[in-house]
Amino acid sequence: MNQPAAPQVTASVPPLTPPSRPGRALIGLALVVPAVIAWIWSYVLPTLSTVARSFQADGLRRPSESAGAGNYEVAFTSGFVGQVGFAVLLSLIPLTVALLAAPLLAVLADRAGRAARLVTRGVLALPLAAYAPVAVYLGRRAEGIENGTLTQDLQSPRAFLVSALAQVTFGLVVAVAATVYLSALRRREPDQRPAPAMLAVGGLLGLGVLAAALQTYTAPYILTGGGPRGDYTATPVFTAAQTSFRTMRLGVGSATSTLLLVLLGLLGLAAVALILATRLRIEFDGWRDRPAAREAESYSGRRPLLVGLTAVALVVVLGVTVWASLPWLRNLSSDTGPLPRGVETSNLFANTWVPPLLSTLVAVTLAALAGFGIGALRPLGRWSELLLVPFAPWLFVGAGPLAIANFERTMEREQLGLFLGLVPPTWLSVPALFAFTLLFRGQHERWRSGGGAGRTLLLPALPMLAVTALLTWLAHAQSPLWATLVGTRPDSLTAPALVTMIASRAFGGGGELPLGLILPLPMLILFVVLFVALMIGYVDRLAIRVGRRSGADAPPVGSGEPVGKVTA
């Protein structure tokens, strides 16, 4: 007798997905909290202190009487508008490079094929690794000395400063801009157009270059001293520092810093508005290189020409960079000679590199955690990027505009001249926060579609930790402003601050400068190796894309919420 077949029961195993919407919202917001605390301590409180100080009478110790708007009147009559105008003048050449030369190089390298693109990325890593503005400017200034007088400065200080700044920053601006343009050119589908991403990247680069020019300090500080007559070559940060710490008019300096913070805040808000409007994101296309659709297009007949043009462009970029850095490179491996009394080479090396490393590790780690909370867990759903808006006014703010408030805070804690005082007072990297948020936002769809968190989120983010940490570390270590303010004793000096002090005497009576101390050869080799490896092995697989795509902002599968298709 035939027995009836037993009914088969199939178990439905739900795919591995992110937590439900309420759970990931709470976790995401919790991960943002440490960054918020660091942001308040590093940016908000110093900003409020700067604004409050700008309305107080001058003096090292804060008096109780109010100065009203008098400090702002002095700031304007002292030429704040002209200082901003001169900073904008300094930005014209870098803007031209970032908006014209760099995208042209990126397009040539992109169309020339994968090998040319990788070589381009490797070469562009060199100007990044060789970032030593103090050494380069001191070397250039030393070459212009005749009988203790800077001849070019007397002839045309503006032309000298603009040309020197353009030569020194040319390779750096090309490297940064061409790198991000290459990521914007990376296609995923044959019909994908990179023009919108290129335009968005160009807008962000333009805002960033302008913000950097407004905060120029090292070039006028070393090359012209703001002179030779009055504040002919002064910038807002240079003027605020000189007014506050040379003439002890901290109220006027704080007024200048406050006005500058307003300008930088507007630029930061414009940047986040552009990011939100274009839905900009960073996607990791995987460790295995997949040739994009453009590789199959009909460029093969012109490829030798494109390869040749790319090679010529790289030779120009590298040639200008090396030529501008020659005075420093010649002294890179030479004997430093005797150092001033109380200064030891090992202590100098530690002061230069260890304090910025400490703040960098904290600042980038907190940025990565917050970026994961916002970009991957998306606590506000499709509106999660709005959590970046409070941080936006400080996106482009460096150490200069907040130097007065941070100096007074360090003095109140009695850390001037101490090792702890050398630690840069920035415990959150806002640019890194934006970068991680955009990266995790770009990987969010792959995670919600069932990809493992380790493969889709953590592995692509680990190299980004290295990229942002190296850039932040090098920038802080090579900045002379904060180290000059807090390094009040010989054993608390950093290499850029020490060599600058030695240069002030050497320019009057001659003598060799120990430029090799600023970025020693072993550190330069280390940065070159790391940047080249990251550029070729990781950054080349990052794609900057804009617009909406399927499911990017939809709730995760299995969360109990309807999943609708969003057209690209």
Side-chain angles (χ1 to χ4, degrees):
M1 181 180 296
N2 294 331
Q3 297 292 334
Q8 297 181 350
V9 179
T10 58
S12 177
V13 180
L16 180 64
T17 60
S20 62
R21 175 65 65 87
R24 62 192 174 104
L26 291 176
I27 298 174
L29 293 176
L31 291 176
V32 179
V33 170
V36 170
I37 296 174
W39 163 65
I40 293 174
W41 175 259
S42 303
Y43 294 98
V44 178
L45 293 181
T47 298
L48 295 178
S49 178
T50 301
V51 174
R53 190 70 178 87
S54 68
F55 290 101
Q56 294 177 350
D58 283 317
L60 186 59
R61 298 186 180 277
R62 297 185 181 182
S64 58
E65 61 270 15
S66 172
N71 290 329
Y72 288 91
E73 295 177 1
V74 175
F76 277 108
T77 56
S78 299
F80 176 78
V81 176
Q83 296 155 18
V84 172
F86 182 59
V88 173
L89 174 64
L90 294 178
S91 72
L92 293 182
I93 295 179
L95 279 174
T96 303
V97 172
L99 301 181
L100 294 179
L104 177 60
L105 172 60
V107 171
L108 288 175
D110 179 71
R111 297 296 173 86
R114 180 173 180 269
R117 188 182 72 244
L118 293 179
V119 171
T120 300
R121 288 196 180 274
V123 172
L124 293 179
L126 302 180
L128 294 177
Y131 177 72
V134 173
V136 175
Y137 288 135
L138 285 175
R140 285 190 54 82
R141 182 178 172 90
E143 283 197 340
I145 294 293
E146 291 183 7
N147 299 322
T149 302
L150 185 61
T151 56
Q152 297 97 325
D153 186 13
L154 295 178
Q155 294 173 4
S156 178
R158 282 180 184 258
F160 173 70
L161 183 55
V162 171
S163 63
L165 187 61
Q167 294 162 7
V168 172
T169 61
F170 176 78
L172 179 66
V173 174
V174 170
V176 173
T179 295
V180 293
Y181 280 126
L182 280 172
S183 295
L185 286 167
R186 190 177 180 94
R187 297 185 185 181
R188 183 176 55 188
E189 300 172 357
D191 58 345
Q192 188 175 7
R193 296 183 177 275
M198 291 280 286
L199 292 174
V201 165
L204 293 176
L205 285 172
L207 294 172
V209 168
L210 184 57
L214 288 172
Q215 299 174 88
T216 301
Y217 172 80
T218 306
Y221 173 64
I222 292 178
L223 294 177
T224 63
R229 297 175 298 275
D231 56 354
Y232 196 52
T233 57
T235 58
V237 170
F238 177 82
T239 301
Q242 296 295 304
T243 301
S244 301
F245 303 110
R246 282 203 171 186
T247 63
M248 303 313 298
R249 294 183 297 164
L250 275 70
V252 177
S254 297
T256 301
S257 297
T258 301
L259 294 172
L260 179 59
L261 284 169
V262 172
L263 297 178
L264 295 175
L266 293 176
L267 294 177
L269 289 172
V272 76
L274 180 60
I275 291 173
L276 294 176
T278 59
R279 295 180 178 269
L280 188 139
R281 61 190 180 275
I282 302 174
E283 297 180 4
F284 180 72
D285 283 348
W287 297 111
R288 180 177 298 178
D289 191 33
R290 302 172 183 175
R294 61 183 177 278
E295 298 287 327
E297 296 178 0
S298 57
Y299 296 116
S300 57
R302 296 181 295 172
R303 184 156 293 171
L305 176 61
L306 294 174
V307 171
L309 291 175
T310 303
V312 171
L314 290 178
V315 169
V316 172
V317 172
L318 202 56
V320 173
T321 302
V322 172
W323 174 70
S325 305
L326 269 180
W328 162 53
L329 296 176
R330 292 195 193 103
N331 297 275
L332 193 57
S333 59
S334 60
D335 185 13
T336 58
L339 297 178
R341 181 180 301 177
V343 178
E344 298 180 0
T345 304
S346 59
N347 190 45
L348 189 69
F349 183 85
N351 291 342
T352 304
W353 298 101
V354 176
L357 179 61
L358 298 177
S359 65
T360 294
L361 293 177
V362 176
V364 173
T365 300
L366 294 182
L369 292 175
F372 181 84
I374 298 173
L377 299 181
R378 308 193 64 73
L380 302 184
R382 61 181 299 183
W383 308 107
S384 296
E385 279 73 29
L386 289 177
L387 293 173
L388 294 175
V389 174
F391 302 93
W394 293 272
L395 174 61
F396 299 125
V397 174
L402 302 176
I404 300 172
N406 286 324
F407 174 81
E408 291 191 319
R409 176 192 288 177
T410 304
M411 183 177 61
E412 290 172 357
R413 297 202 305 266
E414 299 181 352
Q415 292 181 350
L416 294 180
L418 301 181
F419 183 82
L420 289 178
L422 291 173
V423 178
T426 304
W427 298 103
L428 174 69
S429 174
V430 179
L433 169 62
F434 275 67
F436 279 108
T437 299
L438 298 179
L439 174 63
F440 286 122
R441 189 231 187 278
Q443 296 299 107
H444 172 76
E445 180 184 4
R446 296 176 185 177
W447 186 35
R448 66 168 296 278
S449 63
R455 179 171 55 86
T456 59
L457 294 177
L458 298 184
L459 287 181
L462 288 178
M464 180 65 81
L465 277 171
V467 172
T468 53
L470 284 174
L471 291 173
T472 305
W473 184 29
L474 182 59
H476 282 318
Q478 296 301 307
S479 176
L481 177 57
W482 181 249
T484 302
L485 294 179
V486 300
T488 58
R489 301 186 314 190
D491 60 350
S492 65
L493 293 174
T494 64
L498 173 68
V499 179
T500 303
M501 292 173 58
I502 296 175
S504 64
R505 299 193 299 267
F507 288 152
E512 295 293 331
L513 296 177
L515 299 179
L517 290 173
I518 297 177
L519 181 57
L521 185 59
M523 294 299 298
L524 176 60
I525 294 175
L526 174 65
F527 281 114
V528 167
V529 172
L530 292 177
F531 275 121
V532 170
L534 289 169
M535 280 284 194
I536 296 176
Y538 173 68
V539 177
D540 186 62
R541 290 164 171 79
L542 295 179
I544 298 177
R545 294 176 178 131
V546 298
R548 304 178 68 178
R549 64 180 186 178
S550 177
D553 296 306
V557 178
S559 63
E561 303 177 42
V563 180
K565 184 177 181 180
V566 183
T567 58

